[in-house]
């Protein structure tokens, strides 16, 4: 696929059931050098954020009683910075650790395999599956894997509850049963789970600043994609309460990066009656539940979409998965890095010597914004039509969009910019690229003057991410972080509160 076949906001918006007449409300600041890769990562990131911003503007207009949806602006600089937000995070000047030593590519007897062992329990399962002691070195693991086939490692480690995926080419993934199942699904599965009266939300008195104000969101997600979605809902004014089991803490830096605007509490749904009663009280007044565990993992707690619909008619259920809730891998755990390896992305981005990776965990971030957009659209539709609604994106389905383009052959930056009336103006002294957000002016670094149009005039460039970074004090220390890329006229420029310690809040609504 060439970049002219790249993902477009139009396609994402259509997949979410959006009104195509609203797409011209969106404009783009196109920046060369942003998220550079062989695959059209920049275009995918732009499309996911654009669809989310448009969904936010639509809901804001609906609740504020505006005649027109506010104009939406997507800046490649803001998007590229946000898509690696975990790398930009500083806590009192300390950079986070993003991957553990045993989370990496390994040579096998016949190819390559990638493992994920950032969490202690995944590391223990990986080593146990390989018959190695808990203190095994990287060299010991490498020697063990070099004697086995990649598919053997994949099946052995998964059987032990660990995480390992064999490197596949795009053609091999297309022939795989799970690859075929994923390719046959829509970009975002969405629908209704039963009838319910229309949900009412208070009007916003002509101000679309916080389109999700008044929404109560139970956040049962982990890692990156789901927390990015709920972080975005918090940006837009929702009361987001993240719930985790007390014995399974999130990685500290990961929680900090995705915890902006939220509160964090723990509940043990396996421990007994008290925590279950607390959860049911929260659910009784929740508007949205977002889950990010592997499909079926929460069903025993009555948290399947169907069970939630029965107990809380009219709720919106966002259900995120790695591989999709179907096919032979439907019940498997997965992470962005592993999905890249299975779906052929790592093979495309690598060389003959070694597999490669995307410049960002773009499947996580992109799917997170698609999930947030789907929730916002479901809320908008529910205001008029009622019903209990579900939204189901999957990292592997986002990967299929990135690698195949879904037939959007007219897409890509030039066509999208032309259709949307886009300009990407940027002067050498630089303040025209973006309005000031949170006290930070988004300047175009080293760009040439000109506007981007179908005739192919100059683009702005992306270099220094500083214009899209901010700092704030928090209970965790002084934070440097990436600003949110979701932007529309009258919308928020930053989260209302910094993250706090994991599990430190009471499990109750504000």
């Amino acid at each position: 696929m060439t970049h002219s076949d790249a993902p477009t906001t139009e396609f994402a918006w259509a997949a979410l059931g959006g009104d195509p007449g609203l797409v011209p409300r969106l404009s783009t600041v196109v920046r060369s050098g942003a998220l550079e890769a062989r695959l059209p990562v920049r275009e995918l990131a732009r499309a996911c954020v654009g669809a989310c911003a448009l969904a936010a503007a639509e809901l804001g207009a609906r609740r504020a009683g505006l005649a027109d949806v506010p104009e939406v602006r997507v800046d490649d600089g803001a998007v590229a910075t946000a898509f690696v937000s975990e790398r930009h995070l500083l806590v009192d000047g300390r950079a986070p650790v993003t991957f553990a030593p045993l989370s990496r590519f390994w040579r096998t007897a016949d190819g390559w395999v990638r493992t994920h062992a950032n969490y202690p329990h995944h590391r223990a399962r990986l080593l146990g599956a390989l018959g190695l002691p808990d203190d095994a070195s990287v060299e010991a693991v490498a020697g063990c894997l070099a004697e086995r086939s990649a598919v053997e490692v994949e099946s052995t480690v998964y059987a032990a509850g660990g995480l390992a995926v064999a490197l596949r080419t795009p053609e091999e993934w297309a022939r795989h049963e799970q690859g075929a199942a994923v390719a046959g699904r829509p970009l975002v599965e969405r629908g209704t789970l039963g009838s319910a009266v229309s949900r009412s939300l208070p009007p916003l008195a002509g101000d679309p600043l916080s389109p999700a104000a008044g929404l109560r969101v139970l956040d049962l997600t982990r890692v990156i994609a789901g927390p990015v979605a709920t972080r975005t809902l918090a940006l837009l004014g929702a009361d987001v309460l993240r719930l985790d089991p007390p014995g399974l803490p999130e990685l500290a830096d990961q929680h900090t990066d995705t915890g902006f605007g939220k509160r964090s509490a723990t509940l043990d749904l396996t421990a007994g009656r008290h925590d279950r009663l607390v959860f049911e009280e929260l659910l009784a007044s929740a508007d949205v539940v977002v889950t990010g565990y592997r499909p079926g993992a929460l069903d025993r707690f009555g948290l399947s979409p169907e069970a939630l619909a029965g107990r809380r008619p009219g709720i919106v259920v966002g259900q995120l998965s790695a591989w999709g809730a179907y096919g032979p891998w439907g019940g498997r755990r997965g992470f962005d890095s592993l999905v890249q390896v299975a779906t052929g992305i790592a093979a495309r981005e690598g060389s003959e010597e070694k597999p490669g990776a995307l410049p960002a965990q773009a499947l996580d971030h992109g799917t997170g914004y698609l999930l947030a957009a789907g929730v916002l659209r479901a809320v908008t539709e529910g205001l008029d039509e009622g019903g209990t609604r579900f939204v189901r994106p999957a990292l592997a389905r986002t990967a299929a969009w990135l690698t195949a383009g879904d037939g959007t052959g007219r897409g890509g930056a030039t066509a999208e910019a032309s259709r949307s009336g886009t300009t990407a103006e940027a002067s050498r002294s630089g303040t025209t690229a973006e309005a000031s957000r949170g006290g930070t002016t988004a300047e175009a670094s080293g760009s040439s003057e000109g506007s981007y149009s179908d005739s192919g005039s100059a683009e702005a460039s992306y270099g220094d991410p500083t214009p899209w970074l901010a700092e704030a004090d928090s209970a965790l220390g002084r934070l440097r972080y990436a600003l949110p890329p979701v932007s529309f006229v009258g919308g928020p420029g930053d989260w209302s509160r910094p993250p706090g310690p994991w599990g430190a809040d009471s499990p109750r609504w504000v």
Side-chain angles (χ1 to χ4, degrees):
M1 181 179 66
T2 65
H3 281 236
S4 63
D5 299 315
T8 64
T9 305
E10 289 92 333
F11 186 88
W13 185 242
L16 295 165
D19 177 2
L22 295 182
V23 174
R25 304 298 295 168
L26 183 146
S27 64
T28 307
V29 179
V30 179
R31 295 180 186 273
S32 61
L35 298 174
E36 287 187 324
R38 293 175 183 172
L39 290 165
V41 179
R42 178 182 66 168
E43 289 81 0
L44 177 132
R46 180 195 299 152
C48 294
V49 170
C52 185
L54 197 57
E58 177 192 39
L59 178 58
R62 171 73 170 73
R63 295 185 61 192
L66 303 180
D68 296 313
V69 169
E71 293 183 357
V72 172
R73 189 169 195 174
V74 179
D75 190 310
D76 283 349
V79 173
T81 304
F83 264 58
V84 290
S85 60
E86 64 274 11
R87 300 181 204 169
H88 290 302
L89 177 71
L90 293 178
V91 182
D92 284 335
R94 177 188 59 81
V97 176
T98 54
F99 282 98
L102 298 188
S103 296
R104 48 168 282 187
F105 285 108
W106 308 87
R107 273 280 193 188
T108 63
D110 61 349
W112 292 88
V113 70
R114 181 148 190 169
T115 56
H116 195 287
N118 285 3
Y119 291 93
H121 58 293
H122 290 155
R123 183 182 187 277
R125 292 169 186 172
L126 170 65
L127 294 174
L130 299 178
L132 296 173
D134 290 343
D135 60 351
S137 66
V138 169
E139 292 75 20
V141 175
C144 179
L145 294 179
E147 299 174 351
R148 306 187 185 193
S149 74
V151 172
E152 176 195 355
V153 172
E154 177 183 274
S155 59
T156 300
V157 172
Y158 260 103
L163 292 146
V165 171
L167 178 72
R168 291 174 172 83
T169 66
E171 295 75 21
E172 288 171 333
W173 180 245
R175 293 193 297 268
H176 193 279
E177 189 176 350
Q178 188 65 30
V182 168
R185 299 288 177 136
L187 178 61
V188 179
E189 295 185 274
R190 47 193 297 277
T192 59
L193 294 166
S195 60
V197 297
S198 299
R199 182 64 54 86
S200 62
L201 289 170
L204 297 179
D207 183 2
L209 174 64
S210 300
L215 288 176
R216 289 176 166 176
V217 179
L218 282 177
D219 178 2
L220 309 179
T221 69
R222 293 178 65 78
V223 199
I224 295 178
V228 164
T230 52
R231 181 180 70 181
T232 303
L233 297 176
L235 167 74
L236 300 169
D239 180 6
V240 179
L241 178 62
R242 173 166 170 166
L243 297 176
D244 286 282
L248 196 62
E250 183 61 279
L251 301 175
D253 291 331
Q254 198 161 261
H255 181 264
T256 300
D257 176 54
T258 60
F260 284 86
K262 311 179 195 178
R263 290 176 300 114
S264 170
T266 61
L267 282 178
D268 189 349
L269 300 184
T270 67
R273 182 175 175 80
H274 177 267
D275 281 14
R276 290 300 302 270
L277 287 175
V278 172
F279 180 83
E280 292 301 323
E281 290 174 359
L282 292 169
L283 178 63
S285 57
D287 301 289
V288 178
V289 174
V290 183
T291 66
Y293 293 77
R294 63 183 176 84
L298 300 178
D299 290 3
R300 62 193 173 111
F301 303 118
L303 297 177
S304 69
E306 293 76 14
L308 289 169
R311 302 208 302 287
R312 180 65 170 154
I315 201 167
V316 174
V317 181
Q319 192 177 29
L320 174 78
S321 64
W323 307 105
Y326 41 77
W329 286 17
R332 287 195 177 191
R333 299 172 179 87
F335 293 86
D336 181 300
S337 59
L338 302 182
V339 176
Q340 288 189 41
V341 171
T343 59
I345 290 173
R348 286 196 182 190
E349 292 292 333
S351 65
E352 293 183 2
E353 288 75 31
K354 187 177 181 181
L358 298 177
Q361 294 189 69
L363 306 181
D364 264 336
H365 286 270
T367 307
Y369 288 109
L370 287 176
L371 175 56
V375 168
L376 294 168
R377 290 245 58 252
V379 171
T380 299
E381 291 176 337
L383 292 175
D384 295 321
E385 304 168 12
T388 303
R389 298 174 182 275
F390 69 87
V391 181
R392 293 180 185 140
L395 302 188
R397 186 60 187 84
T398 304
W401 189 34
L402 174 64
T403 56
D406 274 321
T408 56
R410 294 185 305 108
T414 300
E416 183 171 340
S418 176
R419 284 192 294 273
S420 302
T422 300
T423 60
E425 298 177 353
S427 67
R428 292 186 185 274
S429 58
T431 56
T432 59
E434 172 86 33
S436 177
R437 298 174 61 183
T440 302
T441 301
E443 300 180 355
S445 303
S447 61
S448 59
E449 295 183 2
S451 62
Y452 188 81
S453 69
D454 200 24
S455 60
S457 53
E459 294 182 348
S461 64
Y462 176 71
D464 181 8
T466 302
W468 301 284
L469 298 175
E471 293 190 4
D473 290 317
S474 75
L476 302 171
R478 182 70 176 174
L479 303 180
R480 188 195 73 176
Y481 60 95
L483 287 164
V486 173
S487 177
F488 59 92
V489 173
D494 202 347
W495 291 275
S496 61
R497 54 176 285 167
W502 178 84
D505 296 301
S506 298
R508 60 179 178 81
W509 297 117
V510 173

